[in-house]
Coordinates of all heavy atoms in Angstrom, one line a residue:
M1 N -3.9 -5.6 25.9 CA -4.7 -5.0 24.9 C -6.2 -5.0 25.3 O -6.6 -6.0 25.9 CB -4.5 -5.9 23.6 CG -5.3 -5.3 22.5 SD -5.1 -6.2 20.9 CE -3.4 -6.6 20.8
A2 N -6.9 -4.0 25.1 CA -8.4 -3.9 25.4 C -9.1 -5.0 24.6 O -8.9 -5.1 23.5 CB -8.8 -2.5 25.3
Q3 N -10.2 -5.4 25.2 CA -11.1 -6.3 24.6 C -12.0 -5.6 23.7 O -12.4 -4.5 24.0 CB -11.9 -7.3 25.6 CG -10.9 -8.1 26.4 CD -10.2 -9.1 25.6 OE1 -10.8 -9.7 24.8 NE2 -8.9 -9.3 25.9
G4 N -12.6 -6.2 22.7 CA -13.5 -5.6 21.8 C -14.8 -5.5 22.4 O -15.2 -6.2 23.4
S5 N -15.7 -4.6 22.0 CA -17.0 -4.4 22.5 C -17.9 -5.5 22.2 O -17.8 -6.2 21.1 CB -17.7 -3.2 21.9 OG -16.8 -2.0 22.2
A6 N -18.8 -5.9 23.1 CA -19.8 -7.0 22.9 C -20.7 -6.7 21.7 O -21.0 -5.5 21.5 CB -20.6 -7.2 24.1
G7 N -21.0 -7.6 20.9 CA -21.9 -7.5 19.8 C -21.2 -7.1 18.5 O -21.8 -7.1 17.4
K8 N -19.9 -6.8 18.4 CA -19.2 -6.5 17.3 C -18.7 -7.7 16.6 O -18.3 -8.7 17.3 CB -18.0 -5.6 17.6 CG -18.3 -4.2 17.9 CD -17.0 -3.5 17.8 CE -17.3 -1.9 18.0 NZ -16.1 -1.1 17.8
A9 N -18.8 -7.7 15.2 CA -18.4 -8.9 14.5 C -16.8 -8.8 14.5 O -16.1 -7.8 14.5 CB -18.7 -8.9 13.1
P10 N -16.1 -10.0 14.7 CA -14.7 -10.0 14.6 C -14.2 -9.6 13.2 O -14.9 -9.8 12.2 CB -14.3 -11.4 15.0 CG -15.5 -12.2 14.6 CD -16.7 -11.3 14.9
L11 N -12.9 -9.1 13.2 CA -12.3 -8.7 11.9 C -12.3 -9.9 10.9 O -12.4 -9.6 9.6 CB -10.9 -8.2 12.1 CG -10.8 -6.9 12.9 CD1 -9.4 -6.6 13.1 CD2 -11.6 -5.8 12.3
G12 N -12.2 -11.1 11.4 CA -12.0 -12.2 10.5 C -13.4 -12.9 10.0 O -13.4 -13.7 9.4
G13 N -14.5 -12.3 10.5 CA -15.7 -12.9 10.1 C -16.2 -13.8 11.1 O -15.6 -14.2 12.1
P14 N -17.4 -14.5 10.9 CA -18.0 -15.4 11.7 C -17.2 -16.7 12.0 O -17.3 -17.3 13.0 CB -19.4 -15.8 11.1 CG -19.2 -15.3 9.7 CD -18.2 -14.3 9.6
L15 N -16.3 -17.1 11.0 CA -15.6 -18.3 11.1 C -14.4 -18.1 12.2 O -14.0 -19.1 12.8 CB -14.9 -18.7 9.8 CG -15.9 -19.2 8.8 CD1 -15.2 -19.4 7.5 CD2 -16.6 -20.3 9.2
C16 N -14.1 -16.9 12.5 CA -13.1 -16.7 13.6 C -13.7 -16.1 14.8 O -13.0 -15.6 15.7 CB -12.2 -15.5 13.0 SG -11.3 -16.0 11.6
A17 N -14.9 -16.5 15.1 CA -15.7 -15.9 16.3 C -14.9 -16.4 17.6 O -15.0 -15.7 18.6 CB -17.0 -16.4 16.3
A18 N -14.4 -17.6 17.6 CA -13.7 -18.1 18.7 C -12.5 -17.3 19.1 O -12.1 -17.1 20.2 CB -13.3 -19.5 18.5
R19 N -12.0 -16.5 18.1 CA -10.7 -15.8 18.4 C -11.1 -14.3 18.3 O -10.2 -13.4 18.2 CB -9.6 -16.1 17.2 CG -9.0 -17.5 17.4 CD -8.2 -17.9 16.5 NE -7.4 -16.9 15.7 CZ -6.6 -17.2 14.7 NH1 -6.4 -18.4 14.4 NH2 -6.0 -16.3 14.1
A20 N -12.3 -13.9 18.4 CA -12.7 -12.5 18.2 C -12.1 -11.6 19.3 O -11.7 -10.5 19.0 CB -14.2 -12.4 18.4
N21 N -11.9 -12.1 20.5 CA -11.2 -11.2 21.5 C -9.7 -11.0 21.3 O -9.2 -10.1 21.9 CB -11.5 -11.8 22.9 CG -12.9 -11.7 23.3 OD1 -13.7 -10.8 22.8 ND2 -13.5 -12.5 24.1
S22 N -9.1 -11.9 20.4 CA -7.7 -11.6 20.2 C -7.4 -10.6 19.1 O -6.3 -10.2 19.0 CB -7.1 -12.9 19.8 OG -7.6 -13.4 18.5
Y23 N -8.4 -10.2 18.4 CA -8.2 -9.2 17.3 C -8.5 -7.8 17.9 O -9.5 -7.6 18.6 CB -9.3 -9.4 16.2 CG -9.1 -10.7 15.4 CD1 -10.1 -11.5 15.1 CD2 -7.8 -10.9 14.9 CE1 -9.9 -12.6 14.3 CE2 -7.5 -12.1 14.2 CZ -8.7 -12.9 13.9 OH -8.4 -14.0 13.1
P24 N -7.7 -6.8 17.5 CA -8.0 -5.5 17.9 C -9.2 -4.9 17.2 O -9.5 -5.2 16.0 CB -6.8 -4.8 17.6 CG -6.1 -5.5 16.4 CD -6.5 -6.9 16.6
Q25 N -10.0 -4.3 17.8 CA -11.2 -3.6 17.3 C -10.9 -2.2 17.0 O -9.9 -1.7 17.5 CB -12.4 -3.7 18.3 CG -12.8 -5.1 18.6 CD -13.3 -5.9 17.5 OE1 -14.1 -5.4 16.7 NE2 -12.8 -7.2 17.4
A26 N -11.7 -1.6 16.1 CA -11.5 -0.2 15.7 C -11.4 0.8 16.9 O -10.7 1.8 16.8 CB -12.6 0.3 14.7
D27 N -12.2 0.5 17.9 CA -12.2 1.4 19.1 C -11.1 1.0 20.1 O -11.1 1.7 21.2 CB -13.6 1.5 19.7 CG -14.1 0.2 20.2 OD1 -13.5 -0.9 19.8 OD2 -15.1 0.1 20.9
D28 N -10.3 0.0 20.0 CA -9.2 -0.3 20.9 C -8.2 0.6 20.8 O -7.8 1.0 19.6 CB -8.8 -1.8 20.6 CG -9.7 -2.8 21.0 OD1 -10.6 -2.6 21.7 OD2 -9.5 -4.0 20.6
P29 N -7.6 1.2 21.9 CA -6.4 2.0 21.8 C -5.2 1.2 21.3 O -5.1 0.0 21.7 CB -6.3 2.5 23.3 CG -6.9 1.5 24.1 CD -8.0 0.9 23.3
P30 N -4.3 1.7 20.6 CA -3.1 1.1 20.1 C -2.2 0.9 21.3 O -2.2 1.7 22.2 CB -2.5 1.9 19.0 CG -3.1 3.3 19.4 CD -4.5 3.1 20.0
E31 N -1.4 -0.2 21.3 CA -0.4 -0.4 22.3 C 0.6 0.8 22.2 O 1.0 1.1 21.1 CB 0.3 -1.8 21.9 CG -0.6 -2.9 22.1 CD -1.1 -3.3 23.5 OE1 -0.3 -2.9 24.5 OE2 -2.1 -3.8 23.7
P32 N 0.9 1.4 23.3 CA 1.7 2.6 23.3 C 3.1 2.3 22.7 O 3.7 3.3 22.2 CB 1.7 3.1 24.7 CG 1.4 1.9 25.5 CD 0.6 1.0 24.7
D33 N 3.6 1.2 22.9 CA 5.0 1.0 22.5 C 5.2 0.1 21.2 O 6.2 -0.3 20.8 CB 5.9 0.3 23.6 CG 5.3 -1.1 24.0 OD1 4.0 -1.3 23.7 OD2 5.8 -1.8 24.6
M34 N 4.1 0.0 20.4 CA 4.1 -0.8 19.2 C 3.9 0.1 18.0 O 3.1 0.9 18.0 CB 3.1 -1.9 19.2 CG 3.3 -2.9 20.3 SD 2.1 -4.3 20.2 CE 2.7 -5.2 18.8
S35 N 4.8 -0.1 17.0 CA 4.6 0.7 15.8 C 3.5 -0.1 14.9 O 3.1 -1.2 15.2 CB 5.9 0.6 14.9 OG 6.2 -0.7 14.5
I36 N 3.1 0.6 13.9 CA 2.2 0.0 13.0 C 2.6 -1.3 12.4 O 2.0 -2.2 12.3 CB 1.8 0.9 11.8 CG1 1.1 2.2 12.4 CG2 0.9 0.3 10.8 CD1 -0.3 1.9 13.0
A37 N 3.9 -1.3 12.0 CA 4.5 -2.6 11.5 C 4.5 -3.7 12.5 O 4.2 -4.8 12.2 CB 6.0 -2.3 11.1
D38 N 4.8 -3.4 13.8 CA 4.6 -4.4 14.8 C 3.2 -4.9 15.1 O 3.1 -6.1 15.2 CB 5.1 -3.8 16.2 CG 6.6 -3.5 16.2 OD1 7.4 -4.1 15.5 OD2 7.0 -2.6 17.0
L39 N 2.2 -4.0 15.0 CA 0.9 -4.4 15.0 C 0.5 -5.3 13.9 O -0.1 -6.4 14.1 CB 0.0 -3.2 15.2 CG 0.1 -2.4 16.4 CD1 -0.7 -1.0 16.2 CD2 -0.4 -3.1 17.6
I40 N 0.9 -5.0 12.7 CA 0.6 -5.8 11.5 C 1.2 -7.1 11.7 O 0.7 -8.2 11.4 CB 1.1 -5.1 10.2 CG1 0.2 -3.9 10.0 CG2 1.0 -6.1 9.0 CD1 0.7 -2.9 8.9
Y41 N 2.6 -7.2 12.1 CA 3.3 -8.3 12.3 C 2.5 -9.3 13.3 O 2.4 -10.5 13.0 CB 4.7 -8.2 12.9 CG 5.5 -9.4 13.2 CD1 5.9 -10.3 12.3 CD2 5.6 -9.7 14.6 CE1 6.5 -11.4 12.6 CE2 6.3 -10.8 15.1 CZ 6.8 -11.7 14.0 OH 7.4 -12.8 14.5
E42 N 2.1 -8.8 14.4 CA 1.3 -9.6 15.4 C 0.1 -10.2 14.8 O -0.2 -11.3 15.1 CB 1.0 -8.7 16.6 CG 2.1 -8.2 17.5 CD 2.8 -9.5 18.2 OE1 2.1 -10.3 18.6 OE2 4.0 -9.5 18.2
Q43 N -0.6 -9.5 13.9 CA -1.7 -10.0 13.4 C -1.4 -11.0 12.3 O -2.0 -12.2 12.2 CB -2.6 -8.9 12.7 CG -3.2 -8.0 13.7 CD -4.2 -8.7 14.6 OE1 -5.1 -9.4 14.2 NE2 -4.0 -8.5 15.9
V44 N -0.4 -10.8 11.5 CA -0.1 -11.7 10.4 C 0.5 -13.0 10.9 O 0.3 -14.1 10.3 CB 0.8 -11.0 9.4 CG1 1.4 -12.0 8.3 CG2 0.1 -9.9 8.6
R45 N 1.3 -13.0 11.9 CA 2.0 -14.2 12.4 C 1.0 -15.2 12.9 O 1.3 -16.4 13.0 CB 3.1 -13.9 13.4 CG 2.7 -13.6 14.7 CD 3.8 -13.3 15.6 NE 3.3 -13.2 17.0 CZ 4.0 -13.5 18.0 NH1 5.2 -13.9 17.9 NH2 3.4 -13.4 19.2
A46 N -0.2 -14.8 13.2 CA -1.2 -15.7 13.7 C -2.0 -16.3 12.6 O -2.8 -17.2 12.8 CB -2.2 -15.0 14.7
L47 N -1.8 -15.8 11.3 CA -2.5 -16.3 10.2 C -1.9 -17.6 9.6 O -0.7 -17.8 9.7 CB -2.6 -15.2 9.1 CG -3.3 -14.0 9.3 CD1 -3.1 -12.9 8.3 CD2 -4.8 -14.3 9.6
P48 N -2.8 -18.5 8.9 CA -2.2 -19.4 8.1 C -1.3 -18.9 7.0 O -1.5 -17.8 6.5 CB -3.4 -20.3 7.6 CG -4.5 -19.7 8.3 CD -4.2 -18.4 8.9
D49 N -0.4 -19.8 6.6 CA 0.6 -19.3 5.5 C -0.1 -18.7 4.3 O 0.3 -17.7 3.8 CB 1.6 -20.4 5.1 CG 2.6 -20.7 6.2 OD1 2.8 -19.8 7.1 OD2 3.3 -21.7 6.0
Q50 N -1.1 -19.3 3.8 CA -1.9 -18.9 2.6 C -2.4 -17.4 2.8 O -2.3 -16.6 2.0 CB -3.0 -19.8 2.2 CG -3.7 -19.4 1.1 CD -4.8 -20.4 0.6 OE1 -5.0 -21.4 1.3 NE2 -5.5 -20.2 -0.5
L51 N -2.9 -17.2 4.0 CA -3.5 -15.8 4.3 C -2.3 -14.8 4.5 O -2.5 -13.7 4.1 CB -4.4 -15.8 5.5 CG -5.8 -16.6 5.2 CD1 -6.6 -16.6 6.6 CD2 -6.6 -16.0 4.1
A52 N -1.3 -15.2 5.1 CA -0.2 -14.4 5.4 C 0.4 -14.0 4.0 O 0.8 -12.8 3.8 CB 0.9 -15.1 6.2
R53 N 0.4 -14.9 3.0 CA 0.9 -14.6 1.7 C 0.2 -13.5 1.0 O 0.6 -12.6 0.3 CB 1.0 -15.9 0.8 CG 1.3 -15.8 -0.7 CD 2.5 -15.1 -0.9 NE 3.7 -16.0 -0.5 CZ 4.9 -15.8 -0.7 NH1 5.3 -14.6 -1.2 NH2 5.8 -16.6 -0.3
E54 N -1.2 -13.6 1.3 CA -2.1 -12.6 0.7 C -1.8 -11.1 1.2 O -1.8 -10.2 0.6 CB -3.6 -12.9 1.0 CG -4.1 -14.0 0.1 CD -5.5 -14.3 0.4 OE1 -6.3 -13.3 0.4 OE2 -5.9 -15.5 0.4
V55 N -1.5 -11.1 2.5 CA -1.2 -9.8 3.2 C 0.1 -9.4 2.6 O 0.2 -8.2 2.3 CB -1.0 -10.0 4.8 CG1 -0.5 -8.8 5.3 CG2 -2.4 -10.4 5.3
L56 N 1.1 -10.3 2.4 CA 2.3 -9.9 1.8 C 2.2 -9.4 0.4 O 2.7 -8.3 0.1 CB 3.3 -11.1 1.9 CG 4.7 -10.9 1.3 CD1 5.4 -9.8 2.0 CD2 5.5 -12.1 1.2
D57 N 1.3 -10.1 -0.5 CA 1.1 -9.6 -1.8 C 0.4 -8.3 -1.7 O 0.7 -7.3 -2.6 CB 0.2 -10.7 -2.5 CG 0.9 -11.9 -2.8 OD1 2.2 -11.9 -2.7 OD2 0.3 -13.0 -3.1
F58 N -0.5 -8.1 -0.8 CA -1.2 -6.8 -0.8 C -0.3 -5.6 -0.4 O -0.3 -4.5 -0.9 CB -2.4 -6.8 0.2 CG -3.2 -5.6 0.2 CD1 -3.9 -5.2 -0.8 CD2 -3.2 -4.8 1.4 CE1 -4.6 -4.0 -0.9 CE2 -3.9 -3.6 1.4 CZ -4.7 -3.1 0.3
A59 N 0.7 -5.9 0.6 CA 1.7 -4.9 0.9 C 2.5 -4.5 -0.3 O 2.8 -3.4 -0.5 CB 2.5 -5.3 2.1
G60 N 2.9 -5.5 -1.0 CA 3.7 -5.3 -2.3 C 2.9 -4.4 -3.2 O 3.5 -3.5 -3.9
F61 N 1.6 -4.8 -3.5 CA 0.8 -4.0 -4.3 C 0.7 -2.5 -3.8 O 0.9 -1.6 -4.6 CB -0.6 -4.6 -4.4 CG -1.7 -3.7 -4.8 CD1 -1.8 -3.4 -6.2 CD2 -2.6 -3.0 -3.9 CE1 -2.8 -2.5 -6.7 CE2 -3.5 -2.2 -4.5 CZ -3.7 -1.9 -5.8
L62 N 0.5 -2.3 -2.6 CA 0.4 -0.9 -2.1 C 1.8 -0.2 -2.3 O 1.8 1.0 -2.7 CB 0.1 -0.9 -0.6 CG -1.2 -1.4 -0.2 CD1 -1.4 -1.4 1.3 CD2 -2.3 -0.5 -0.8
R63 N 2.9 -0.8 -2.1 CA 4.3 -0.2 -2.3 C 4.4 0.2 -3.8 O 4.8 1.2 -4.2 CB 5.3 -1.1 -1.8 CG 6.7 -0.4 -1.9 CD 7.8 -1.4 -1.3 NE 7.9 -2.6 -2.1 CZ 7.6 -3.8 -1.7 NH1 7.2 -4.1 -0.5 NH2 7.7 -4.8 -2.5
E64 N 4.0 -0.8 -4.7 CA 4.2 -0.5 -6.3 C 3.3 0.6 -6.6 O 3.7 1.4 -7.4 CB 3.9 -1.8 -7.0 CG 5.0 -2.9 -6.8 CD 4.6 -4.1 -7.5 OE1 3.8 -4.1 -8.4 OE2 5.3 -5.2 -7.3
R65 N 2.1 0.6 -6.1 CA 1.1 1.7 -6.4 C 1.7 3.0 -6.0 O 1.6 4.0 -6.8 CB -0.2 1.4 -5.8 CG -1.2 2.4 -6.2 CD -2.6 2.1 -5.6 NE -2.6 2.4 -4.2 CZ -3.6 2.3 -3.3 NH1 -4.7 1.9 -3.8 NH2 -3.6 2.6 -2.0
Q66 N 2.3 3.2 -4.8 CA 2.9 4.4 -4.4 C 4.1 4.8 -5.3 O 4.2 5.9 -5.7 CB 3.3 4.3 -3.0 CG 4.0 5.6 -2.5 CD 4.4 5.5 -1.0 OE1 4.3 4.4 -0.4 NE2 4.9 6.5 -0.4
E67 N 4.9 3.8 -5.6 CA 6.1 4.1 -6.5 C 5.6 4.5 -7.9 O 6.2 5.4 -8.5 CB 6.9 2.8 -6.6 CG 7.7 2.5 -5.3 CD 8.4 1.2 -5.4 OE1 8.2 0.4 -6.5 OE2 9.1 0.9 -4.4
R68 N 4.6 3.9 -8.5 CA 4.0 4.3 -9.8 C 3.5 5.7 -9.7 O 3.7 6.6 -10.7 CB 2.9 3.4 -10.3 CG 3.4 2.0 -10.8 CD 2.3 1.3 -11.6 NE 1.1 1.1 -10.7 CZ 0.9 0.1 -10.0 NH1 1.7 -0.9 -9.9 NH2 -0.2 -0.1 -9.3
A69 N 2.8 6.2 -8.6 CA 2.3 7.4 -8.5 C 3.5 8.5 -8.4 O 3.4 9.5 -9.1 CB 1.5 7.6 -7.2
E70 N 4.5 8.1 -7.7 CA 5.7 9.0 -7.7 C 6.4 9.1 -9.0 O 6.7 10.3 -9.5 CB 6.7 8.6 -6.7 CG 6.2 8.6 -5.2 CD 7.0 7.8 -4.2 OE1 8.0 7.2 -4.7 OE2 6.8 7.9 -3.0
W71 N 6.3 8.1 -9.8 CA 6.9 8.0 -11.1 C 6.1 8.9 -12.1 O 6.6 9.7 -12.9 CB 7.1 6.6 -11.6 CG 7.7 6.5 -13.0 CD1 7.0 6.3 -14.3 CD2 9.0 6.7 -13.4 NE1 7.9 6.3 -15.2 CE2 9.2 6.6 -14.7 CE3 10.2 6.9 -12.6 CZ2 10.3 6.7 -15.4 CZ3 11.3 7.1 -13.4 CH2 11.4 6.9 -14.7
R72 N 4.8 8.7 -12.0 CA 3.9 9.6 -12.9 C 4.2 11.0 -12.6 O 4.1 11.9 -13.5 CB 2.5 9.2 -12.6 CG 1.9 8.0 -13.3 CD 0.5 7.8 -13.3 NE -0.1 7.9 -12.0 CZ -0.2 6.8 -11.2 NH1 0.0 5.6 -11.7 NH2 -0.8 6.9 -10.0
D73 N 4.3 11.5 -11.2 CA 4.5 12.9 -10.9 C 5.8 13.4 -11.5 O 5.9 14.4 -12.0 CB 4.4 13.0 -9.3 CG 3.0 12.7 -8.7 OD1 2.1 12.7 -9.4 OD2 3.1 12.5 -7.4
L74 N 6.8 12.5 -11.4 CA 8.1 12.9 -11.9 C 8.0 13.1 -13.4 O 8.5 14.1 -14.0 CB 9.1 11.9 -11.6 CG 10.5 12.1 -12.2 CD1 11.2 13.4 -11.6 CD2 11.4 10.9 -11.9
M75 N 7.4 12.1 -14.2 CA 7.2 12.3 -15.6 C 6.4 13.5 -16.0 O 6.8 14.2 -17.0 CB 6.6 11.0 -16.1 CG 7.4 9.7 -16.0 SD 9.0 9.9 -16.9 CE 8.5 9.9 -18.6
A76 N 5.4 13.8 -15.3 CA 4.5 15.0 -15.6 C 5.4 16.2 -15.3 O 5.4 17.2 -16.1 CB 3.3 15.0 -14.7
A77 N 6.1 16.3 -14.3 CA 6.9 17.5 -14.0 C 8.1 17.7 -15.1 O 8.3 18.8 -15.7 CB 7.6 17.4 -12.6
Q78 N 8.6 16.5 -15.6 CA 9.6 16.6 -16.7 C 9.0 17.0 -18.0 O 9.6 17.8 -18.7 CB 10.3 15.3 -16.8 CG 11.3 15.0 -15.6 CD 11.9 13.6 -15.8 OE1 11.5 12.8 -16.6 NE2 13.0 13.5 -15.0
S79 N 7.8 16.5 -18.3 CA 7.1 16.9 -19.6 C 6.9 18.3 -19.6 O 7.1 18.9 -20.6 CB 5.8 16.1 -19.6 OG 6.1 14.6 -19.7
R80 N 6.4 18.9 -18.5 CA 6.1 20.4 -18.5 C 7.4 21.2 -18.7 O 7.4 22.1 -19.4 CB 5.4 20.8 -17.2 CG 3.9 20.3 -17.3 CD 3.1 20.9 -16.1 NE 3.6 20.6 -14.8 CZ 3.3 19.4 -14.2 NH1 2.3 18.7 -14.7 NH2 3.7 19.1 -12.9
A81 N 8.4 20.7 -17.9 CA 9.7 21.5 -18.0 C 10.4 21.3 -19.4 O 11.0 22.3 -19.9 CB 10.6 21.0 -17.0
L82 N 10.2 20.2 -20.1 CA 11.0 20.0 -21.3 C 10.1 20.3 -22.5 O 10.5 20.3 -23.7 CB 11.4 18.6 -21.4 CG 12.5 18.2 -20.4 CD1 12.9 16.8 -20.5 CD2 13.8 19.1 -20.7
A83 N 8.8 20.7 -22.3 CA 7.9 20.9 -23.6 C 8.5 22.0 -24.4 O 8.4 21.8 -25.7 CB 6.5 21.4 -23.0
P84 N 9.0 23.2 -23.9 CA 9.6 24.1 -24.9 C 10.8 23.6 -25.7 O 11.0 23.9 -26.8 CB 10.1 25.2 -24.0 CG 9.3 25.1 -22.6 CD 9.1 23.7 -22.5
V85 N 11.5 22.6 -25.1 CA 12.6 22.0 -25.9 C 12.2 21.1 -26.9 O 12.6 21.1 -28.1 CB 13.6 21.3 -24.9 CG1 14.7 20.6 -25.6 CG2 14.1 22.2 -23.9
W86 N 11.1 20.3 -26.6 CA 10.6 19.3 -27.6 C 9.7 19.9 -28.7 O 9.7 19.4 -29.7 CB 9.8 18.2 -26.9 CG 10.6 17.4 -25.9 CD1 11.9 17.1 -26.0 CD2 10.1 16.6 -24.8 NE1 12.4 16.3 -25.1 CE2 11.3 16.1 -24.2 CE3 9.0 16.6 -24.1 CZ2 11.2 15.2 -23.1 CZ3 8.9 15.9 -23.0 CH2 9.9 15.2 -22.4
E87 N 9.0 20.9 -28.3 CA 8.0 21.5 -29.2 C 8.6 22.9 -29.8 O 8.2 23.9 -29.3 CB 6.7 21.7 -28.5 CG 6.1 20.4 -28.0 CD 4.9 20.6 -27.2 OE1 4.4 21.8 -27.1 OE2 4.5 19.7 -26.6
N88 N 9.4 22.7 -30.9 CA 9.9 23.9 -31.4 C 9.9 23.7 -32.9 O 9.9 22.6 -33.5 CB 11.3 24.3 -31.0 CG 12.3 23.2 -31.2 OD1 12.6 22.8 -32.4 ND2 12.8 22.7 -30.1
S89 N 9.9 24.8 -33.7 CA 9.9 24.7 -35.2 C 11.1 24.0 -35.9 O 11.0 23.4 -36.9 CB 9.7 26.1 -35.8 OG 10.8 27.0 -35.4
E90 N 12.2 24.1 -35.1 CA 13.5 23.5 -35.7 C 13.3 22.0 -35.7 O 13.9 21.3 -36.6 CB 14.7 23.9 -35.0 CG 15.1 25.4 -35.1 CD 16.1 25.8 -34.1 OE1 16.7 24.9 -33.5 OE2 16.4 27.0 -34.1
D91 N 12.7 21.4 -34.7 CA 12.5 20.0 -34.7 C 11.3 19.4 -35.2 O 10.9 18.2 -35.0 CB 12.7 19.6 -33.2 CG 14.1 19.8 -32.7 OD1 15.0 19.9 -33.5 OD2 14.2 19.9 -31.4
A92 N 10.4 20.3 -35.8 CA 9.1 19.8 -36.4 C 9.2 18.7 -37.3 O 8.4 17.8 -37.3 CB 8.4 21.0 -37.0
V93 N 10.3 18.5 -38.0 CA 10.5 17.4 -38.9 C 10.4 16.1 -38.2 O 10.1 15.1 -38.8 CB 11.9 17.6 -39.7 CG1 13.0 17.4 -38.8 CG2 11.9 16.6 -40.9
W94 N 10.8 16.0 -37.0 CA 10.8 14.8 -36.1 C 9.5 14.4 -35.5 O 9.3 13.4 -35.0 CB 11.9 14.9 -35.1 CG 13.3 15.1 -35.6 CD1 14.1 16.1 -35.6 CD2 14.1 14.0 -36.2 NE1 15.2 15.9 -36.1 CE2 15.3 14.7 -36.6 CE3 13.9 12.7 -36.5 CZ2 16.3 13.9 -37.2 CZ3 14.9 12.0 -37.1 CH2 16.1 12.5 -37.4
D95 N 8.6 15.3 -35.6 CA 7.2 15.0 -35.0 C 6.5 13.9 -35.5 O 5.7 13.1 -34.8 CB 6.3 16.3 -35.0 CG 6.8 17.5 -34.1 OD1 7.7 17.2 -33.3 OD2 6.4 18.5 -34.3
D96 N 6.6 13.6 -36.8 CA 6.0 12.5 -37.4 C 6.7 11.2 -37.4 O 6.3 10.2 -38.1 CB 5.5 12.9 -38.9 CG 4.5 14.1 -38.9 OD1 3.8 14.2 -38.0 OD2 4.7 14.8 -39.8
V97 N 7.9 11.1 -36.9 CA 8.7 9.9 -36.9 C 8.3 8.9 -35.8 O 7.8 9.3 -34.7 CB 10.1 10.3 -36.7 CG1 11.0 9.0 -36.7 CG2 10.6 11.2 -37.9

């Protein structure tokens, strides 16, 4: 893995300066045979358990946010498609229930 450029702050901040060269920098080329999941795994396995838990929680948050967006899109599509069925004069009596 390529070393980070001199003068750049490490991803972990000043407390991790001793390990700065072990972190990939934004301008480092990705390892050709590693997936994004592999790269994340390599970074997370070096973290203390408490920080690794934060990464796990954040990944769960991102997954849930995506699922909620997909659900909202589905509900919006169904609402538009079913509007003529729900909004008719025969069923007006049920509008106030």
Side-chain angles (χ1 to χ4, degrees):
M1 184 180 317
Q3 298 297 316
S5 300
K8 283 192 172 184
L11 295 177
L15 295 177
C16 295
R19 293 176 23 185
N21 291 334
S22 68
Y23 293 131
Q25 299 296 317
D27 57 347
D28 286 345
E31 296 290 332
D33 57 341
M34 294 184 78
S35 69
I36 295 295
D38 291 334
L39 292 169
I40 292 169
Y41 172 73
E42 288 296 320
Q43 293 297 311
V44 172
R45 75 179 190 151
L47 293 174
D49 284 348
Q50 183 178 1
L51 292 177
R53 172 61 66 181
E54 287 184 40
V55 173
L56 179 62
D57 290 345
F58 183 67
F61 162 76
L62 292 175
R63 189 179 61 245
E64 288 178 20
R65 185 177 70 177
Q66 181 179 2
E67 290 171 358
R68 281 193 307 266
E70 291 169 358
W71 181 254
R72 278 192 307 269
D73 292 345
L74 176 63
M75 294 300 291
Q78 288 178 344
S79 294
R80 284 189 298 271
L82 293 174
V85 174
W86 292 333
E87 298 172 11
N88 61 60
S89 59
E90 293 174 6
D91 294 336
V93 68
W94 297 104
D95 290 346
D96 295 328
V97 176

